[in-house]
Amino acid sequence: MVENIKNIAVLTSGGDAPGMNAAIRAVVRACSFYKIQCTGVYRGYQGLIEADFEPLDARSVRNIINQGGTFLKSTRSKEFRTKEGRKLAFDNLKANNIDALIVIGGDGTFTGGQLFSKEFGFPTVGIPATIDNDINGTDFTLGYDTALNTVVEAIDKIRDTASSHNRLFLVEVMGRDAGDIALNSGIGAGAEEILIPEENLGVEKLLDSLRKSKKSGKTSSIIVVAEGEKSGKNIFELASFIEENMDEYEVRVSVLGHIQRGGSPSCFDRVLASKLGVGAVEALMAGKTEIMIGIHHQKVVNIELLKAIKGDAKVDKELRRVADITSV
Amino acid sequence: MVENIKNIAVLTSGGDAPGMNAAIRAVVRACSFYKIQCTGVYRGYQGLIEADFEPLDARSVRNIINQGGTFLKSTRSKEFRTKEGRKLAFDNLKANNIDALIVIGGDGTFTGGQLFSKEFGFPTVGIPATIDNDINGTDFTLGYDTALNTVVEAIDKIRDTASSHNRLFLVEVMGRDAGDIALNSGIGAGAEEILIPEENLGVEKLLDSLRKSKKSGKTSSIIVVAEGEKSGKNIFELASFIEENMDEYEVRVSVLGHIQRGGSPSCFDRVLASKLGVGAVEALMAGKTEIMIGIHHQKVVNIELLKAIKGDAKVDKELRRVADITSV
Amino acid sequence: MVENIKNIAVLTSGGDAPGMNAAIRAVVRACSFYKIQCTGVYRGYQGLIEADFEPLDARSVRNIINQGGTFLKSTRSKEFRTKEGRKLAFDNLKANNIDALIVIGGDGTFTGGQLFSKEFGFPTVGIPATIDNDINGTDFTLGYDTALNTVVEAIDKIRDTASSHNRLFLVEVMGRDAGDIALNSGIGAGAEEILIPEENLGVEKLLDSLRKSKKSGKTSSIIVVAEGEKSGKNIFELASFIEENMDEYEVRVSVLGHIQRGGSPSCFDRVLASKLGVGAVEALMAGKTEIMIGIHHQKVVNIELLKAIKGDAKVDKELRRVADITSV
Amino acid sequence: MVENIKNIAVLTSGGDAPGMNAAIRAVVRACSFYKIQCTGVYRGYQGLIEADFEPLDARSVRNIINQGGTFLKSTRSKEFRTKEGRKLAFDNLKANNIDALIVIGGDGTFTGGQLFSKEFGFPTVGIPATIDNDINGTDFTLGYDTALNTVVEAIDKIRDTASSHNRLFLVEVMGRDAGDIALNSGIGAGAEEILIPEENLGVEKLLDSLRKSKKSGKTSSIIVVAEGEKSGKNIFELASFIEENMDEYEVRVSVLGHIQRGGSPSCFDRVLASKLGVGAVEALMAGKTEIMIGIHHQKVVNIELLKAIKGDAKVDKELRRVADITSV
């Protein structure tokens, strides 16, 4: 155990994700448990630069485990991308007797944290929180499970309308580079087809598939489309293309958008946040730095921040296979 | 009581709304209670023309009271707009010994039903079901209360993100001609501003209001925008306009879309559907025709279909006032 | 307008109900709108006695419209039932330059408020908030609509199990004196039978009804039982009684309990809270006192507190009729 | 691949769990994909004995992925526990040209399936579905994730009331032998203490803990209690014991009960059901029998049914540690 960790700062950065509040709470409570001071930093890295700090104790985080978003707020800070900005941040941390930093966020958050930690030798640990589940070295990121539930509940509602009217719905879900949300929510929502960034089905094959399923007796269909899908058409163009080629369907588009980022976290995300928050404090106490606290095979693991960042999206082929079989 | 009502047909038509299944169930159960046969018609008026009928008994409608959509399905029928189509429908009803018709839907559904009833002297009663709440003579239409809950739950999620990032969100909700959904959900979701079809605030006044509330200390805001809003800009243009004029805000757009039509009906809509369904059967038994069964001051009322159709949207000024006060 | 209303205190008292926070928010925002100071009182009447006050401005109530419970907390105060206690409360209000009081709660809250107002001539207005909907002079109390949705969602879950196993479920819902929750949620949940405090069906008739419905082909059933139901048996005794007399059913009991008091308020309750909160401030400004702000036929109304309190529960016979017909 | 698998029967047995319908769907769709006939068996093993069969094709299972319960129904069959009963079942399967059996359920279901398979050499594969997560060899059982979400949502509602009134709530959740639901939902709901069957905290330690947390400033608390908890007191006795010893708290009890078994499955459970259903069909095609299809480290695995049954509950010590730290 490292004796000189007496005050840990915690911030959230980048796009918010359900479970961020639960993670902050776990960090604060773990600090309280180990008699370490905890300092909340408002508005991510920008708050470091502006010394927007507030001491947090165990009671400061009551009744937030079930709240979406992040009460510490989050921004994207241009200033922190400059050496001068980061120097200011470091000076503020020192001036406030803060010994270590926990950053909660995704890829961009970790890139900033890793650079800062290396530059100033400041102990820094990351907690992966992004609905996209696109961080290396952790099986799950905070917010992902909640977002999947939000998406399937939304598509369940759309299905009511789709099956009442024998319609084809194209539903756009988040995922610029990773198809995890689309693939899992597509299976979970019983989608007919799922278009993901990692592969290009081709619009002709899509038509073939729709024709086949129409012939098999399907009267309505849902196609889940990830934002970053590679057909070369946006979702509205795709809808027109299908309508032109299959006049047996009325096609409708629904872009789920920002509702996917919010909402009360699922139990899974709350428990995961609790594990990761405790793990982050304990890692700092053990003298670790420049790592992310992840979950792998249900165990808390430490991954070098540099490795966590360099994600290369690859489709889960087994899941794709299950999708193809169950949409028969 | 009219002795010759021995078989009542029921159909759903137009856009689907939560509570349609509950209304069908109530019609079927009331028929069963009064020993009247009940015939389900699939796919609205088109099903009348194609004789797509199925006898329904009390057990046929088990476990559907909580389901969104309509298991009888709904289409828009071009054929029923022709005299020939309606004649076919009438012949099918006669051939199947059906004595009366209950049509569940909105404005278009009632127009068709009224015309049909008048042409052939066929006893016809309407039940108002549309999330837009734009039917005259009834305080509430089926699906409206559920849609309001769906909208506020969606905006609650968006608020998580908005307040985490100090953002301004424009949220588009349904309502081409009527601002009821926007006004109520806007108050319910704590919106900063609400733009409705019945009035044109003017984009300059909108900016003024946003500037004022920014000054008052608001760090994030939600603006609820009805589809049929009258600023002359679509929601994306409106977002750009605000961003250009208020660089203190990041502006985001969310179009809620079709999720508003689906979902399990609220208790209010289930009870309302039960009252209206029973009321429709009893009205036919009492020899009534060309009426809608509505709810007014919590009592079931009968309104001439012709009066129900001719809605003129007018904003609830008291509600607008409450919105202005509580968004201070 | 009464010029001397410059500072209004607001408190919540008695059992909490969803929508209390939204009502506090509306009171605070209306005060802000009219340039009146607003003072929050913690822990109901006990907080008056202990001068547990906090000034509230428009920003103090941000992001609470969607929260269940009451951030001002609520207790039952024995001290306030004494003349001495109430005198202390009055002195504290005077010492803090508070001119008027808004009390949010049910029957007990209003009794206390009415007495206090009369004794000291202190302007006092009530807002009805209780899930039981048992206040005279208002069509709806805050929290009632939300509780109905909570109950039907819970019974929807129980129905999954009931119909999977051909079981009979007895579900106890709140309502010691009033059957409104039971009757409405029973219809909404598609219950077979509904037992309410206002009438005694008799256990033999219950058996008859169950036997009849079993014969009609029902394979599972839900019976909704209000707490204050009058069979003379508690719900577990009732279950045993049915099992002994109908061995074709496995009977199970579920007591919904306190989940009915919590949860994010429905849109209906949020809008109602907004109207009543604004109405309360405006009534005080108009010089009114010893009244409750209620809703009748969708309009805000003023009712003497004394009349609001003296409720006599009576069953909605029309609703009972609809329940009997739709459970065929 | 085994050529002689041409018709697979599927049944659900024991307590129902969310995701059973999704698993049936996946079995049916996988059969359809591989051109194998699929036969639904109603009412579990009893339906085998009574030959209560129905052929299922891909369209038979539309719109059920999001439904709780099991449309094939489930019973506990005494007859199947006899050799004669099982012989009847075998004869019925043979008479209907059924070559293999998929049984969806928990411990009891697998015991029956294993015995049956061994006795008659009938290819049988199990899919674990029980909210208790108490099956060996699989990281998760169907329904468990959904039940966790149901529990935390219920406790979130109770928390509204608890924190409005400064109350202590004892909330009983399912888990006769396993504390998984209590431990995870307790962390997820931010419980103060969690009582589970695998350990006996002792009532005195519980009081100590409550006194400590009261001193630390907590004003309300939730204690999650698993059904099979080992204090020797039932939950109502426990409540009285605490009230007698800590008069600073009003104590309330909430028994969540059967709502935990129902509800629309979470995305996690729907995807898991899809994987396991496909895996079960493919295992039978590969000639396997007397195995359960489980999930381990996110991969589908095969476990001997005999091993799956012999569970020995052991508490997840790491999770217990996280619970203790985050409830500080």
Side-chain angles (χ1 to χ4, degrees):
Chain A
M1 186 167 136
V2 178
E3 290 302 319
N4 58 345
I5 300 287
K6 290 180 182 135
N7 190 339
I8 294 176
V10 57
L11 62 80
T12 49
S13 168
D16 64 316
M20 279 185 160
N21 276 327
I24 299 167
R25 174 182 179 274
V27 166
V28 173
R29 294 278 171 97
C31 284
S32 177
F33 185 85
Y34 290 116
K35 320 279 185 216
I36 295 170
Q37 273 188 278
C38 188
T39 302
V41 181
Y42 285 93
R43 293 175 300 118
Y45 291 122
Q46 192 60 30
L48 277 189
I49 291 170
E50 301 178 16
D52 196 354
F53 298 155
E54 186 180 350
L56 300 174
D57 68 15
R59 296 292 76 74
S60 317
V61 289
R62 78 172 83 193
N63 291 344
I64 68 165
I65 196 169
N66 61 337
Q67 303 289 321
T70 160
F71 84 96
L72 288 179
K73 310 235 170 180
S74 176
T75 51
R76 286 184 173 82
S77 166
K78 280 183 195 163
E79 233 177 317
F80 196 74
R81 294 198 190 158
T82 68
K83 178 93 190 209
E84 293 71 31
R86 291 192 297 272
K87 181 64 169 62
L88 268 173
F90 176 72
D91 293 346
N92 286 332
L93 287 166
K94 280 289 142 192
N96 285 272
N97 297 313
I98 294 166
D99 312 305
L101 180 62
I102 293 173
V103 298
I104 304 173
D107 199 69
T109 305
F110 290 173
T111 304
Q114 204 277 332
L115 187 55
F116 177 73
S117 178
K118 178 153 254 62
E119 253 172 9
F120 299 97
F122 198 83
T124 302
V125 164
I127 292 176
T130 160
I131 63 167
D132 290 332
N133 205 33
D134 58 353
I135 300 292
N136 262 8
T138 188
D139 294 345
F140 302 104
T141 57
L142 288 179
Y144 173 61
D145 183 67
T146 303
L148 291 182
N149 283 329
T150 300
V151 171
V152 296
E153 283 166 25
I155 303 183
D156 285 351
K157 289 190 170 74
I158 291 171
R159 173 180 301 284
D160 287 340
T161 277
S163 55
S164 296
H165 287 91
N166 297 350
R167 273 178 185 159
L168 176 68
F169 265 89
L170 302 186
V171 182
E172 187 181 285
V173 302
M174 287 199 172
R176 250 178 254 282
D177 305 306
D180 294 48
I181 289 182
L183 204 46
N184 279 274
S185 70
I187 292 176
E192 165 73 30
E193 279 296 341
I194 303 166
L195 308 185
I196 56 178
E198 294 91 343
E199 56 180 23
N200 184 357
L201 180 68
V203 288
E204 286 305 331
K205 279 209 180 147
L206 177 62
L207 288 187
D208 283 351
S209 160
L210 287 172
R211 282 187 193 114
K212 214 177 93 185
S213 72
K214 187 82 188 178
K215 208 182 288 177
S216 86
K218 283 201 184 181
T219 54
S220 65
S221 283
I222 307 280
I223 301 179
V224 170
V225 182
E227 283 172 315
E229 170 273 335
K230 291 290 186 291
S231 73
K233 297 181 191 292
N234 72 33
I235 196 167
F236 296 98
E237 293 165 353
L238 210 52
S240 302
F241 176 79
I242 296 171
E243 258 190 344
E244 282 158 21
N245 286 278
M246 293 191 66
D247 57 10
E248 54 271 52
Y249 271 126
E250 276 185 274
V251 188
R252 291 287 183 279
V253 168
S254 184
V255 176
L256 294 188
H258 288 86
I259 60 167
Q260 296 167 84
R261 291 208 176 281
S264 181
S266 66
C267 186
F268 182 93
D269 273 330
R270 298 183 194 190
V271 173
L272 180 58
S274 301
K275 287 178 176 175
L276 299 182
V278 169
V281 171
E282 294 181 341
L284 286 170
M285 289 170 65
K288 291 179 184 163
T289 184
E290 288 179 50
I291 58 159
M292 171 189 82
I293 309 299
I295 194 92
H296 184 55
H297 293 170
Q298 289 156 267
K299 299 259 172 269
V300 169
V301 293
N302 297 338
I303 304 290
E304 288 173 42
L305 273 178
L306 276 175
K307 285 191 183 156
I309 297 163
K310 291 193 183 133
D312 48 352
K314 52 173 190 250
V315 66
D316 179 338
K317 282 193 201 304
E318 181 56 21
L319 209 53
R320 161 51 84 192
R321 215 175 64 81
V322 168
D324 290 342
I325 293 175
T326 54
S327 64
V328 145
Chain B
M1 185 166 140
V2 178
E3 289 302 319
N4 57 346
I5 300 287
K6 288 181 182 137
N7 189 340
I8 295 175
V10 57
L11 62 81
T12 50
S13 168
D16 63 316
M20 279 185 159
N21 276 326
I24 298 167
R25 174 182 178 273
V27 166
V28 172
R29 293 280 172 96
C31 284
S32 177
F33 184 85
Y34 290 115
K35 319 278 185 218
I36 295 170
Q37 272 187 278
C38 188
T39 302
V41 181
Y42 285 92
R43 293 175 301 120
Y45 292 122
Q46 193 60 32
L48 278 188
I49 291 170
E50 300 178 18
D52 195 355
F53 298 156
E54 185 180 349
L56 299 174
D57 68 16
R59 296 290 76 76
S60 315
V61 291
R62 77 171 84 193
N63 292 344
I64 68 165
I65 196 170
N66 61 339
Q67 303 290 322
T70 160
F71 85 96
L72 288 180
K73 311 232 168 184
S74 176
T75 51
R76 287 184 173 83
S77 167
K78 281 183 195 162
E79 234 178 315
F80 195 74
R81 294 196 190 158
T82 65
K83 178 92 191 208
E84 293 72 30
R86 291 191 297 273
K87 181 64 169 61
L88 266 173
F90 176 71
D91 292 345
N92 286 331
L93 287 166
K94 281 288 143 196
N96 285 272
N97 297 313
I98 295 166
D99 312 305
L101 179 64
I102 293 173
V103 296
I104 305 173
D107 199 71
T109 304
F110 291 173
T111 306
Q114 204 276 333
L115 186 57
F116 178 73
S117 179
K118 179 154 253 65
E119 253 172 10
F120 299 98
F122 198 84
T124 301
V125 164
I127 293 176
T130 159
I131 64 167
D132 290 332
N133 205 33
D134 58 354
I135 299 292
N136 262 8
T138 187
D139 294 344
F140 301 105
T141 56
L142 288 179
Y144 172 62
D145 182 68
T146 303
L148 290 182
N149 283 329
T150 299
V151 170
V152 295
E153 284 166 25
I155 302 183
D156 285 350
K157 289 190 170 73
I158 290 170
R159 173 178 303 281
D160 287 339
T161 277
S163 56
S164 297
H165 286 90
N166 297 350
R167 276 179 184 157
L168 176 68
F169 265 89
L170 303 185
V171 182
E172 186 180 287
V173 303
M174 287 198 171
R176 248 178 257 281
D177 305 306
D180 293 47
I181 289 181
L183 203 47
N184 280 275
S185 70
I187 291 175
E192 165 73 32
E193 279 294 343
I194 303 166
L195 309 184
I196 55 177
E198 294 90 343
E199 57 182 21
N200 183 358
L201 179 68
V203 287
E204 286 305 330
K205 278 207 180 151
L206 177 62
L207 287 186
D208 283 351
S209 159
L210 287 173
R211 283 190 193 110
K212 214 176 93 186
S213 72
K214 188 81 189 179
K215 208 181 290 179
S216 86
K218 284 202 184 180
T219 55
S220 65
S221 284
I222 307 280
I223 302 180
V224 170
V225 182
E227 283 172 314
E229 170 272 336
K230 291 289 186 290
S231 73
K233 296 181 191 292
N234 73 33
I235 195 166
F236 296 98
E237 292 165 354
L238 209 53
S240 302
F241 176 79
I242 296 171
E243 258 189 346
E244 281 158 21
N245 287 280
M246 293 190 67
D247 58 11
E248 55 271 52
Y249 271 127
E250 278 184 272
V251 188
R252 293 286 183 278
V253 168
S254 184
V255 176
L256 293 189
H258 289 85
I259 59 167
Q260 295 167 84
R261 293 208 175 279
S264 181
S266 67
C267 187
F268 182 94
D269 273 330
R270 297 182 195 189
V271 173
L272 180 58
S274 301
K275 287 177 177 174
L276 299 183
V278 169
V281 171
E282 293 180 342
L284 285 170
M285 288 169 66
K288 291 178 186 166
T289 185
E290 287 179 51
I291 58 158
M292 172 189 80
I293 309 299
I295 194 89
H296 184 55
H297 293 168
Q298 290 156 266
K299 298 256 172 275
V300 169
V301 293
N302 297 339
I303 305 290
E304 288 173 43
L305 273 178
L306 275 175
K307 286 190 182 158
I309 296 163
K310 290 192 182 137
D312 50 351
K314 52 174 188 249
V315 64
D316 178 340
K317 281 191 201 303
E318 181 56 20
L319 209 52
R320 162 51 84 192
R321 214 175 66 81
V322 168
D324 290 342
I325 292 174
T326 55
S327 64
V328 147
Chain C
M1 184 164 136
V2 178
E3 289 302 320
N4 58 346
I5 300 286
K6 288 180 182 139
N7 190 340
I8 294 176
V10 59
L11 62 80
T12 49
S13 169
D16 64 315
M20 279 185 161
N21 276 326
I24 299 166
R25 174 184 179 272
V27 166
V28 173
R29 294 279 171 96
C31 284
S32 177
F33 184 85
Y34 289 116
K35 318 276 184 220
I36 295 170
Q37 271 187 277
C38 187
T39 301
V41 182
Y42 285 92
R43 295 175 299 121
Y45 291 122
Q46 192 60 30
L48 277 188
I49 291 171
E50 301 178 16
D52 195 355
F53 298 156
E54 186 181 349
L56 299 174
D57 70 14
R59 296 291 76 74
S60 315
V61 290
R62 77 173 84 193
N63 291 343
I64 66 163
I65 196 170
N66 60 338
Q67 303 290 322
T70 159
F71 85 98
L72 288 179
K73 311 232 168 183
S74 177
T75 50
R76 287 183 172 84
S77 167
K78 281 183 196 164
E79 235 178 313
F80 196 74
R81 294 197 190 158
T82 67
K83 177 95 193 209
E84 294 71 31
R86 292 192 295 274
K87 180 65 169 61
L88 267 175
F90 177 71
D91 292 345
N92 286 329
L93 287 165
K94 280 290 142 194
N96 285 273
N97 297 313
I98 295 166
D99 313 306
L101 179 63
I102 293 173
V103 298
I104 305 173
D107 198 70
T109 305
F110 290 175
T111 304
Q114 204 275 334
L115 186 57
F116 178 75
S117 180
K118 179 153 251 66
E119 252 171 11
F120 299 96
F122 199 84
T124 302
V125 164
I127 293 176
T130 159
I131 63 167
D132 290 332
N133 205 34
D134 57 354
I135 300 293
N136 262 10
T138 187
D139 294 344
F140 302 103
T141 56
L142 288 180
Y144 172 61
D145 184 67
T146 303
L148 291 182
N149 284 329
T150 300
V151 171
V152 296
E153 283 166 26
I155 303 184
D156 285 352
K157 289 190 172 73
I158 290 170
R159 173 179 302 284
D160 287 340
T161 277
S163 56
S164 297
H165 287 91
N166 297 351
R167 275 179 184 157
L168 175 68
F169 265 89
L170 302 187
V171 182
E172 186 181 286
V173 303
M174 288 197 172
R176 250 178 255 280
D177 306 306
D180 293 48
I181 290 182
L183 203 46
N184 279 275
S185 70
I187 292 176
E192 165 73 28
E193 278 297 341
I194 303 167
L195 307 186
I196 56 177
E198 293 90 344
E199 56 182 20
N200 184 357
L201 179 67
V203 287
E204 285 304 330
K205 278 210 179 148
L206 178 61
L207 287 186
D208 283 352
S209 160
L210 288 172
R211 282 190 193 111
K212 213 176 96 184
S213 73
K214 187 80 189 180
K215 207 182 288 179
S216 87
K218 282 202 184 180
T219 55
S220 64
S221 283
I222 306 280
I223 302 180
V224 170
V225 181
E227 283 172 312
E229 171 271 333
K230 290 290 185 290
S231 72
K233 297 179 191 293
N234 74 32
I235 195 167
F236 295 98
E237 293 165 352
L238 210 52
S240 301
F241 176 79
I242 296 172
E243 259 190 344
E244 281 158 23
N245 286 278
M246 293 189 68
D247 58 8
E248 55 270 51
Y249 270 126
E250 276 184 274
V251 187
R252 292 286 183 281
V253 169
S254 185
V255 176
L256 293 188
H258 288 85
I259 60 169
Q260 296 168 81
R261 293 210 175 279
S264 181
S266 67
C267 186
F268 181 93
D269 273 330
R270 300 183 193 190
V271 172
L272 179 58
S274 301
K275 288 177 177 174
L276 299 183
V278 169
V281 171
E282 294 180 341
L284 285 170
M285 290 170 64
K288 291 178 184 165
T289 184
E290 288 178 50
I291 58 158
M292 172 190 79
I293 309 300
I295 194 89
H296 184 56
H297 293 168
Q298 289 155 267
K299 299 258 173 270
V300 169
V301 293
N302 296 340
I303 306 290
E304 288 172 43
L305 272 179
L306 276 176
K307 287 191 184 159
I309 296 164
K310 293 195 182 131
D312 48 352
K314 52 173 189 245
V315 66
D316 179 337
K317 283 191 200 303
E318 180 56 21
L319 209 53
R320 161 52 83 192
R321 215 174 65 81
V322 168
D324 290 341
I325 293 174
T326 54
S327 64
V328 146
Chain D
M1 185 166 137
V2 179
E3 290 302 319
N4 58 343
I5 301 287
K6 288 180 181 138
N7 190 339
I8 294 176
V10 57
L11 62 82
T12 50
S13 168
D16 64 316
M20 279 185 160
N21 276 327
I24 298 167
R25 174 182 179 272
V27 166
V28 172
R29 293 279 170 97
C31 285
S32 177
F33 185 84
Y34 289 117
K35 320 278 184 216
I36 294 169
Q37 273 187 278
C38 188
T39 302
V41 181
Y42 284 93
R43 295 176 300 118
Y45 291 122
Q46 192 60 30
L48 277 189
I49 291 170
E50 301 178 16
D52 196 355
F53 298 155
E54 185 180 349
L56 299 174
D57 68 16
R59 297 291 75 76
S60 315
V61 289
R62 76 171 83 193
N63 291 344
I64 68 165
I65 196 169
N66 61 339
Q67 303 289 323
T70 160
F71 85 96
L72 288 180
K73 312 236 168 179
S74 177
T75 51
R76 287 184 172 83
S77 167
K78 281 183 195 164
E79 234 178 315
F80 195 73
R81 294 196 189 158
T82 66
K83 178 93 192 207
E84 294 70 32
R86 291 191 296 274
K87 181 65 170 61
L88 268 173
F90 176 72
D91 292 345
N92 286 331
L93 288 166
K94 280 291 142 192
N96 284 272
N97 297 313
I98 295 167
D99 312 306
L101 178 63
I102 293 173
V103 297
I104 304 173
D107 199 71
T109 305
F110 290 174
T111 304
Q114 204 276 332
L115 187 57
F116 177 74
S117 180
K118 179 154 252 61
E119 255 172 8
F120 299 98
F122 199 84
T124 303
V125 164
I127 293 176
T130 159
I131 64 166
D132 291 330
N133 206 33
D134 58 354
I135 300 292
N136 262 8
T138 187
D139 295 344
F140 302 104
T141 56
L142 289 178
Y144 172 62
D145 183 68
T146 303
L148 290 182
N149 284 328
T150 300
V151 171
V152 297
E153 284 166 24
I155 302 183
D156 285 352
K157 290 191 170 73
I158 290 170
R159 173 180 302 283
D160 287 340
T161 276
S163 55
S164 296
H165 287 91
N166 297 350
R167 276 180 184 158
L168 176 68
F169 265 89
L170 302 187
V171 182
E172 186 181 284
V173 303
M174 288 198 171
R176 249 178 255 279
D177 306 305
D180 294 48
I181 290 182
L183 203 46
N184 280 275
S185 70
I187 292 176
E192 165 72 29
E193 279 296 342
I194 303 165
L195 308 186
I196 55 178
E198 295 90 343
E199 56 182 21
N200 184 358
L201 179 67
V203 287
E204 286 305 330
K205 279 209 179 147
L206 177 62
L207 288 186
D208 283 351
S209 160
L210 288 172
R211 285 190 192 110
K212 214 177 94 185
S213 73
K214 188 81 190 179
K215 207 181 291 178
S216 86
K218 282 202 185 180
T219 54
S220 65
S221 284
I222 306 279
I223 301 180
V224 170
V225 182
E227 283 172 312
E229 172 270 335
K230 292 288 185 291
S231 72
K233 296 179 191 294
N234 75 32
I235 196 166
F236 295 98
E237 293 165 353
L238 210 52
S240 302
F241 176 79
I242 296 171
E243 259 189 344
E244 282 157 22
N245 286 278
M246 294 190 65
D247 58 8
E248 54 270 52
Y249 271 126
E250 277 185 272
V251 188
R252 291 288 184 278
V253 168
S254 184
V255 175
L256 294 189
H258 288 86
I259 60 167
Q260 297 167 81
R261 293 208 175 281
S264 181
S266 67
C267 187
F268 182 93
D269 273 330
R270 298 183 194 188
V271 173
L272 180 58
S274 301
K275 287 177 177 174
L276 299 183
V278 169
V281 170
E282 293 180 342
L284 285 171
M285 289 169 66
K288 290 179 185 163
T289 185
E290 288 178 52
I291 58 159
M292 171 190 81
I293 308 300
I295 195 91
H296 184 55
H297 293 168
Q298 289 156 267
K299 298 259 174 272
V300 169
V301 293
N302 296 340
I303 305 290
E304 289 173 42
L305 272 179
L306 276 176
K307 287 191 184 159
I309 297 164
K310 293 193 183 136
D312 48 352
K314 50 173 190 250
V315 64
D316 179 337
K317 282 190 200 304
E318 182 56 22
L319 209 53
R320 161 52 81 189
R321 216 175 63 82
V322 168
D324 290 341
I325 293 175
T326 54
S327 63
V328 146

